[in-house]
Amino acid sequence: MADYQTIRTAGVSGARTAQIDEGLRAHMNKVYGTMSVGMLITALAAWAVAGLAVSSVPSAYQIGADTYLTSFGAAIYASPLKWLVMFAPLIFVFGFSAGINRMSAATAQVVFYAFAAVMGLSLSSIFLVFTATSIAQVFLITSISFAGLSLYGYTTKKDLSGMGTFLMMGLIGLIVASLINLFMQSSAMAFAISVIGVLIFAGLTAYDTQRIKNTYVEMAVHGDKEWLGKAAIMGALSLYLDFINMFMMLLQLFGNRN
C-alpha cells in the first residue's frame, strides 16, 4: 500500500491538496458516522429481540431463577433455527461484499443497516448469558480501545500494509478454531481464541483505518463520488466488524455471566 504522504503530494499541490484533505475528513466522518448508526441499530435490535425472547412467565424452557424462554425465544435459541441465526450475519456480509459493485451508494447504505439489524438478532443471546452491567462495562472498554487504535491507524506515518496478510491469515485460523470449538466445547481453547482474537481485531482496527484513509486519497484524484460513497460504506463495514468482534472477544474474557 502506498504511503499516505507520498500519495498526497505526488503530482498534487496547493489548493488541490487542501481539497483532498478536506474531502478526507468528510469521508472519514461519513465512515465513522455510518458505523455508529449501524452500532446503534445492532444494540437496539439485540435488546428488543432479547426482550421478546425472555419472560418471567413459567414455560418449558427455564434458563435461570424465575427466567424462562418465550415461544419466540425457544424458536431462535433452542431449535435448529439457532444455526441460521448464528451464521446469518456471515452469509449476509459475504453476499454484501460480493454485490456492492452492482449497488448504488444509497442502496449499499440501506443494506448495511439491514445487516446491522441481522447482527443484532445474532448477538441478542448475550443478554441471556451476561449481566447487563458487564455488557455495558465491556462495551465502554471496547469503545475506548477502538478509538485509540483507530486514531493510531489514522495518524501514524508507519506503513501498516505489511500487517494485512498476517492479520488475515490469523483471522482465517481464528474462524476455523472457533468452528471446531463449537463441537469440542473446550474452555481452554475458548480462552485462547478470545485472547488471540482481541489481538487480531486490535491490529485490524489500526490497519483498516489506515487502509480506508489511503484508499480515499488514491481515488479522490479521479473524483468518482459514487465510488467514494460506496467505499465509505465498505469502510464502515470493516470497522464495524472489527469493533463487534473485539467486543465479543473481550466479553468472553471479562463478562460476568448470569
Side-chain angles (χ1 to χ4, degrees):
M1 181 182 296
D3 177 74
Y4 165 63
Q5 293 298 334
T6 301
I7 298 169
R8 180 174 173 269
T9 56
V12 182
S13 60
R16 183 57 176 157
T17 298
Q19 184 180 7
I20 290 177
D21 287 344
E22 182 180 354
L24 175 61
R25 288 192 292 272
H27 182 75
M28 295 305 295
N29 285 338
K30 182 174 182 179
V31 169
Y32 289 122
T34 302
M35 173 197 163
S36 298
V37 174
M39 291 296 304
L40 179 60
I41 291 172
T42 297
L44 291 175
W47 177 78
V49 170
L52 292 172
V54 179
S55 172
S56 59
V57 178
S59 72
Y61 298 94
Q62 184 171 9
I63 58 174
D66 300 320
T67 306
Y68 304 86
L69 289 180
T70 63
S71 56
F72 172 74
I76 63 174
Y77 300 135
S79 75
L81 185 59
K82 67 182 179 181
W83 298 108
L84 177 60
V85 171
M86 183 184 302
F87 290 107
L90 187 61
I91 297 170
F92 205 116
V93 76
F94 280 131
F96 183 30
S97 299
I100 184 70
N101 290 330
R102 296 188 294 273
M103 302 178 191
S104 67
T107 299
Q109 186 164 353
V110 172
V111 173
F112 171 71
Y113 292 150
F115 164 72
V118 171
M119 181 65 82
L121 171 62
S122 181
L123 296 182
S124 61
S125 61
I126 65 173
F127 289 98
L128 281 64
V129 179
F130 300 95
T131 64
T133 300
S134 69
I135 291 173
Q137 290 173 340
V138 172
F139 183 85
L140 179 61
I141 292 170
T142 307
S143 299
I144 294 171
S145 302
F146 178 88
L149 290 162
S150 191
L151 180 62
Y152 171 75
Y154 186 82
T155 59
T156 185
K157 294 182 180 179
K158 181 179 179 180
D159 184 4
L160 303 179
S161 59
M163 297 170 52
T165 301
F166 174 77
L167 290 170
M168 291 308 298
M169 289 175 62
L171 179 58
I172 293 170
L174 193 71
I175 293 171
V176 172
S178 298
L179 291 174
I180 292 173
N181 204 41
L182 281 176
F183 303 98
M184 292 181 58
Q185 295 295 307
S186 167
S187 58
M189 189 172 181
F191 179 81
I193 289 171
S194 297
V195 172
I196 296 170
V198 169
L199 297 176
I200 288 175
F201 289 107
L204 281 171
T205 298
Y207 166 78
D208 283 334
T209 301
Q210 187 180 83
R211 177 180 56 80
I212 293 166
K213 172 185 175 181
N214 286 347
T215 299
Y216 173 83
V217 177
E218 288 173 350
M219 298 304 299
V221 176
H222 302 293
D224 187 343
K225 292 184 179 180
E226 181 68 16
W227 188 93
L228 290 173
K230 289 191 283 189
I233 305 301
M234 292 305 295
L237 175 63
S238 296
L239 294 180
Y240 169 93
L241 291 173
D242 293 340
F243 185 101
I244 288 291
N245 283 287
M246 186 159 55
F247 167 72
M248 291 302 297
M249 299 297 175
L250 288 170
L251 190 62
Q252 292 294 332
L253 290 173
F254 303 116
N256 294 322
R257 295 176 183 271
N258 286 317

